Amino acid sequence: MPRLRLAARLSPMTIAALLGVVLAVLRFIGIAPLALLDARAIDLRLLARGRQPGSPEAVIVAVDDASIAEIGRWPWPRATLARLLDKIEEGGPSVVGFDIVQSEATAAPDLTSLKGRVGDQALAEVSRALADGSPDDRALADSIAKSGNVVLGYFFDRGGSHSGGSNVAVASYAAVQSEAGESGETKILAAKTAVTNIPAIAAAAKSNGFFNSEPDPDGYYRRVPAVMSYGDRMALPLSLSMLQVVHPDWQARLRIVSLEAADVRLGPHEIPVREDGQMLLNFRGPGGTFRRVSAADLLAGRADPATLLGKAVIVGVTATAVADIRATPFDGIYPGVELHATVIDNVLRDDLLSQPRWIVLVEIGAILASVLVLGAALARVQGVAAALVALSLVVGYLGLSQWLFLAEGVPLGIVYPLVAIALVYMTISLHHFVTVEREKRRTREAFSRYLNPELARMVSENPDLLALGGTRRCLTVLFSDIRGFTSISEGLEPETLVEILNVYLGEMTGIVFEHEGTLDKYIGDAIMAVWGAPVECTDHAMRACAAALDMSTRLRQRSEEWTSRGWPRIEAGIGIHTGDMVSGNMGSASHLSYTVIGDNVNLGSRLEGLTKTYGVSLLVSEAVCEQAGDAFVTRELDVVAVKGKALPVRIFELVGRAADAASTSDLVTHFATALGLFRKREWARAEAAFMALLEAYPGDGPSNLYVKRCRIFASDPPPADWAGVTVMETK
C-alpha cells in the first residue's frame, strides 16, 4: 500500500522522466528483440521509399532456369564456363566476378593400366599434366588468365569443419590500422578455414574475394561483411575486390578502434560498418532490379556481348532449383548474386545506409525529449487532447526519421522512441485514471457526509465544483437548532448527551439528504444545510421547505420514542432564507472547507433565532415564499429589521404543504386579519382578534406575542412614522 500511495503521488513529469531514463539506458545497452524490430522498421522504410533503378555499372550474367534447361544441370563443366567467360570478355567488361567457387579438382584417370605399356618417362609426363589440372580445368584457367580481369569468389567456413585448405592466399586490406589494445580482440567476423578455388584456377585470377553473407535472427539478409578476419589478415569481399580491380589506385583501408571496426575505406569511398564489420545494404528493389543477361543467351549468340562493355559483370546462379536465394526486405527469394551487385551499386553511388555510433545518442536524446514533452503536456490535458499530443509526437518523429533516411541514408531507430511515447502515454493515462478514480472515491466518501449518494457521485465526477474559491449564485440556506440545548446538556451524562446528539443529527441529516440538500456543517447541536450548491438546481427553495417540514414531523415522532427511553423532549427551531450567496471551498490549498457565505447566510441564521421570539418551529423569509410558490402554506408574521441588517425583512411561518391547507386555512386567514388591525394601530380590536385566535388555537405563539404587543402599544403607542417594522436588538 505505501508503494501504491507513493506511485499515486508521482507527477506526470516525474513518471515521464523515470520511464525516459529507463528506456534510454535500455537503448544504450541494446535489447535484441527491440533491435530486431528496428531492423524490420528499416525494411518498412525501404518499402515506403519504393523501388529504385539499380546501377547500370553492375550487370549479372545469370545461370537461370532457362540456361539450366538448355545446357544441362548445374554445375556445368569447366569447359562450358570457359566458353561463357570468353563470350563475356568479347564485350569488354571492366571486371568479371564469379559468385561460384571451383573447389574440387576434376577426377583423374587411373594410370595403373598404362604401366608396362608406355615408358616411364611418358608416364611421368602424363602424371605432371594431370597435376596441373584436367583439360577442362586448364581451359577455364586459360580463359581466366587471358582475360586478366577476373575475380574469383570463395567462402569462409567459420566453423572450420570442412576439408579445405586453411592457409590459402586471400585478397586483403592493404592498410590496417589497429588500436584494439593489448588483447588485439575485435568483434569482426572471424574464420579459421576457407573453401577456395583449386590452385590451377586460382593462380590464373587477377584477384579473389569471399562471398559470405549471414542473416539476421529473423532470417532476413540486410547486411554483408565488408571485412572478415582470416588468420593475421583482413580479407576483402568479392564486390570490393572487383571494384579494386577496376580502380587499382583505390587502396582498401581498415581502421580498428577498441572492439569496433571504426572505418572502412575503398579509395575515396567511406563504407559505414558496424562493430562486426558488416555493412547495411541499401536495397534498390526485389530480385531482377539489376540488369541480367542469360548465360544460355550469351553462349548461343542470342545476347550481344557488347552490352557488357565497361561493366562490372558478376557471374552467378539465379535458378530456383539451385536455391542460392536470400530473404530480403523487398523479396523473399532474392538471388544471392544480387547482394554483390547491391554492394557495387551502393559504393559507386556513395549510398550505403549508415548507422554511426553517435546515432545511439541521437535516439537517446529523442527518447528523453519526447517523454518530457509528452509528460509536460499530459500534466495539463487528458482524453482526446492527450491522445492528439502523443499522436503528434509519433507522426513528427516518424516524419523526421524518414526524411533523415531519404536525405542522408541514416536509418534513425524508431522502436525505442515510439515505445517510449506509447509507454509514457499509457502509464500516465493509467496513473491519471487510477488517481482520478481514487480522488473520486475519496471525494464521494468525503461528500457522502455532506451530500446524498447521487449528489456525491455528481461532485466526484466534476471535481471543478470543488476548486478553491467561490461562485456567486442564488441559493437557499437552512439553519436548525435545538431549543434549550444548554439546559438539556446540564442534566445528562456526557455519554448519554453524545448518544442523543448523534441520533438527532443523524435523523435530521438523513432528511436533508433525502431532499438532495448539502450538509454545510454542524455547529454544536445546530445544523446548517444548503440547496443549489455544489450541484445546481432551480427548485432549491421548495426542497428546503419540504425538508424543514419533514424534519419537524420526524422530530415530533422521534421525541415520543426518546422520552420513553428517559431522554428529555427535544424541540428545534428552523430558519430558511433564499438569496445570493457565495459557495465554494474556502480556506487554503491544503485545508479546505466547503461552505456558503454572505449576508443572506447570516439572515438565515437570524431567522432561526427568531423562531424562539415568535414561538414557532419554522420561519422563512419572503424570498423563500416567492421562490417556493404555491406549494406550501405560510402565514405572514411580521416585518423585522434583524440585528446587523438595515433593511427590514418580511417573515413567514411555514405552516405546511398546500395539500394540507384545509386544516390551517382558518388560522392563516384570521391571523392575517388581526395583523392588519395591528398595523392600522387599532390596538383594542387587534388584541380581541388575537385573543379569539388563542381560544381557537391555544398556545399559538405568534398570537400570544401580538396580544402582549397590543397591550404595550395601547399604553405607549409607537411614533407617528411607525411603519409596522419590528427592530430586533439581539441576534
Side-chain angles (χ1 to χ4, degrees), residues 9 92 134 215 239 255 426 665:
R9 288 196 296 268
S134 68
S239 52
R255 184 168 66 93
M426 291 188 295
S665 59

Side-chain angles (χ1 to χ4, degrees), residues 27 42 45 354-366 397 404 409-414:
R27 175 61 188 95
I42 297 175
R45 287 173 175 172
S354 174
Q355 290 182 302
R357 285 171 293 171
W358 51 259
I359 202 171
V360 175
L361 300 179
V362 173
E363 291 182 33
I364 289 175
Y397 185 77
L404 187 63
V410 177
L412 192 63
I414 63 174

Side-chain angles (χ1 to χ4, degrees), residues 613 678 683 687 690-691 694 701-715:
T613 301
F678 177 79
W683 315 120
E687 181 182 353
F690 285 122
M691 288 296 295
L694 285 173
S703 297
N704 188 46
L705 175 65
Y706 273 98
V707 167
K708 294 177 182 179
R709 286 182 178 178
C710 288
R711 292 172 180 174
I712 292 172
F713 285 167
S715 60

Side-chain angles (χ1 to χ4, degrees), residues 481-490 525 569 571-572 612:
D481 191 25
I482 296 177
R483 299 273 178 81
F485 182 74
T486 302
S487 300
I488 294 174
S489 62
E490 288 176 353
D525 61 304
R569 186 173 185 83
E571 295 181 355
K612 291 176 283 188

Side-chain angles (χ1 to χ4, degrees), residues 107-127:
D110 185 4
L111 301 182
T112 305
S113 60
L114 296 178
K115 288 184 178 181
R117 298 170 55 188
V118 298
D120 291 340
Q121 184 176 355
L123 185 61
E125 290 177 358
V126 172
S127 297

